[in-house]
Amino acid sequence: MHPTLELLDPLNPVRRRMALWLLPMGAILALVALWTSHLSGLDPVDRFFLPLLAVGFAGLAAALWRFPRSASWVLPSAHGLIALYLLSTLAFQLLFRPNPMGLSPAAFWVPFVYFSSFLFFQTRQAVRLALLYLVTLGFLSVLGSFRGHFQVEHVNALAQFLGANLAYVGLLYMLVRVKEGYMEAQLDAYTDFLTGLRNRRYLDLVLERELFRVQRYGRPLSLMVLDLDGFKQVNDTHGHEVGDRVLKALAACLEAHVRQSDRAVRLGGEEFAVLLPETSLAQAARLGERLRQAVAALKVPPVAALSVSVGVTQATPTDSPLSLIKRADEAMYRAKRRGKNRVEVS
């Protein structure tokens, strides 16, 4: 997921925390079900799936705990295991051993498949998965009816079951679309309309999270502030249309030279910033020098030449967003006073 969307989506950090609780609990419940089923007799589906669920959930929980950033496959895998188990249980009931009450207790868990589809997958993919699951259930129901062992209570239960599941899918789709529309509007509020970079409001938001990581885990974090030299003269001489092209060129230059985990931001006017997680002061200073050289090589006719003054600083555990930005600003103004087109550290 894009870093901005990851920051704005409140469900993203919650998913991992919930999974770290629910996956081990699911493994324990599968073992309990396996033990209790031995007392009343295991059907073939439970005999195969319950041990698989217990081992699978435990393994997925361990992978998510050990590799929280690279184990993005864990939650979809858990979703797939549960969906396959429920589908197999219902298929066994519909085709081979109808429940005297109409539907087995496993049917109560089917809506989980739809909810988890919309939580763990992109909207279009989630809709396809949910509809595929629903169509498969409908197909199994039709096959079961041809076997001739359905009574009136079975038909009634199945009709209500399939109708309720179709309603679940429709309502979930509507809720997800509303959520996505809200996130898109929120993202627009954190985007600079001219350059397409994030804005100062976004920097303040993300700095809170990054500084928390510095304070709690001692991870390095650096901030770079860049200011175009003589930009007022560019506007006065060539007009604002050329000035806008210069700002866009600088924004493109920043995005081309930073990592995916870095965040390039337009603070306002001709002032920009780059937030550099997992980056020491020395590394940030070297990147600042590369950016200074890259900007000097930019060609935006009819402007003869471009340059930036760069200030770089590294966060400390006692920093606030304001103090960190202020220190980087001071380093940048020191670069201005010392002749411009240079990098200063603080």
Side-chain angles (χ1 to χ4, degrees), residues 82-102:
I82 295 172
L84 188 59
Y85 169 65
L86 293 176
L87 191 61
S88 301
T89 299
L90 291 169
F92 181 74
Q93 174 201 334
L94 293 170
L95 298 178
F96 302 103
R97 191 184 297 172
N99 191 291
M101 301 301 294

Side-chain angles (χ1 to χ4, degrees), residues 19 22-30 49-63 74 77-83 85 112:
L22 293 178
L23 286 172
M25 190 180 300
I28 294 171
L29 290 174
F49 270 101
L50 289 178
L52 178 64
L53 289 173
V55 174
F57 287 159
L60 291 172
V74 165
S77 298
H79 166 88
L81 267 177
I82 295 172
Y85 169 65
F112 172 83

Side-chain angles (χ1 to χ4, degrees), residues 99-113:
N99 191 291
M101 301 301 294
L103 283 174
S104 71
F108 294 114
W109 288 95
V110 169
F112 172 83
V113 176

Side-chain angles (χ1 to χ4, degrees), residues 10 45 69 115 213 250 253 279 341:
V45 176
R69 291 187 176 275
F115 282 98
R213 284 164 46 84
L250 176 55
C253 180
T279 306
N341 194 24

